[in-house]
Amino acid sequence: MRALTRFEIRACALALLAHGLITPLVPQQSAVLQPVAASGVGIAVDAGAATGSLIAPPSVPAVVTGVEDASPIARTVALTFDDGPDPRWTPQVLDLLTRHHAVATFCIVGENAMRHPELVRAIVDAGMQLCDHSHRHEIDPSRPGAGMAHDELAELAGTDVPWFRAPGGVWSAGVQQAAGTHGMRPLGWSVDSRDWTRPGVDAIVEQVQQQMSPGAVALLHDGGGPRDQTVAALAQLLPWLASRCYVTTFPDGG
Ligand SMILES: [Zn+2]
């Protein structure tokens, strides 16, 4: 997991304060205090930890160090968006992610990429990662490698495509092996937003919130149909995640 930036630590502390999840800290000898200029509130950073610890539940003394389980900073989530790119929805998703300093992995359908190469480049230019989601959103089990879009995506984007996600989540040993020969790792998910069923914005938000846990990989869609509900849900979920000190990462935590 990458270290949090000062911005993220401050944003997290302020968000937790706003939600009443922590109380303002006072300096203690065992902690290094980083003041937050606007409010005069400090963030306790464990001097011995690589990424620092932000620990101050309301019911305990002002500064606690060495309580790994209680550290809200340890929370990561990998957001993934499937079935794009789509000229209507992908730019909106990218805009939201960028505004919230979030990263995500885009599981791209090769046919869509060929139609909209500029969107593939926009995804990469925004600092996101690419995932091959097959050329036509289908894989022939007898020739799994033939349906993969890795090479065309890599050429379009001029970058590595480190992940493969099987269409429909239908995996087999052959599919995994074919992905591996292209240097791709299989990408699943642990949080299913079910946004493709278009259940309404609130239902998508609720699904993700209920299933969220540290280290989660969340499945959403920026293509394959109308995604206005997904975009609206994402606008709510990004601040919600930040308010709980979730940091977005790529699926391998990088
Ligand atoms: Zn898909």
Side-chain angles (χ1 to χ4, degrees), residues 91-103 122 126-128 238:
Q92 294 185 49
V93 169
L94 282 177
D95 182 54
L96 276 171
L97 292 171
T98 303
R99 277 198 275 134
H100 288 269
H101 307 277
V103 297
M128 312 298 162
L238 287 169

Side-chain angles (χ1 to χ4, degrees), residues 30-129:
S30 61
V32 177
L33 196 72
Q34 296 186 345
V36 176
S39 64
V41 171
I43 304 169
V45 177
D46 181 346
T51 57
S53 300
L54 176 73
I55 304 159
S59 59
V60 298
V63 175
V64 181
T65 57
V67 187
E68 293 289 328
D69 291 346
S71 171
I73 278 185
R75 297 174 176 184
T76 62
V77 56
L79 302 175
T80 65
F81 293 90
D82 284 19
D83 297 355
D86 182 289
R88 180 151 188 204
W89 312 115
T90 304
Q92 294 185 49
V93 169
L94 282 177
D95 182 54
L96 276 171
L97 292 171
T98 303
R99 277 198 275 134
H100 288 269
H101 307 277
V103 297
T105 302
F106 286 76
C107 297
I108 288 179
V109 174
E111 277 188 338
N112 296 340
M114 299 302 270
R115 271 196 289 271
H116 304 288
E118 75 286 357
L119 293 177
V120 179
R121 285 189 281 271
I123 289 168
V124 173
D125 288 348
M128 312 298 162
Q129 273 192 354

Side-chain angles (χ1 to χ4, degrees), residues 82-83 109 133 137 165-168 221:
D82 284 19
D83 297 355
V109 174
H133 198 36
H137 206 266
R165 175 172 278 164
H221 291 78

Side-chain angles (χ1 to χ4, degrees), residues 118-238:
E118 75 286 357
L119 293 177
V120 179
R121 285 189 281 271
I123 289 168
V124 173
D125 288 348
M128 312 298 162
Q129 273 192 354
L130 298 183
C131 169
D132 175 359
H133 198 36
S134 85
H135 188 66
R136 293 192 176 84
H137 206 266
E138 61 187 14
I139 289 287
D140 179 349
S142 64
R143 300 169 60 235
M148 292 182 178
H150 174 275
D151 293 351
E152 64 208 60
L153 290 181
E155 190 171 332
L156 273 180
T159 187
D160 193 24
V161 182
W163 304 103
F164 180 80
R165 175 172 278 164
V170 181
W171 290 98
S172 69
V175 170
Q176 288 208 35
Q177 194 177 18
T181 61
H182 286 95
M184 298 186 291
R185 292 156 63 188
L187 177 56
W189 60 84
S190 59
V191 173
D192 186 353
S193 69
R194 297 189 58 77
D195 60 340
W196 59 276
T197 65
R198 293 184 51 78
V201 177
D202 291 349
I204 295 170
V205 169
E206 206 170 295
Q207 282 284 340
V208 173
Q209 290 180 341
Q210 284 178 356
Q211 297 173 52
M212 187 56 57
S213 65
V217 176
L219 170 65
L220 298 124
H221 291 78
D222 67 322
R227 299 299 175 223
D228 51 311
Q229 293 184 2
T230 304
V231 170
L234 185 64
Q236 294 184 39
L237 285 167
L238 287 169

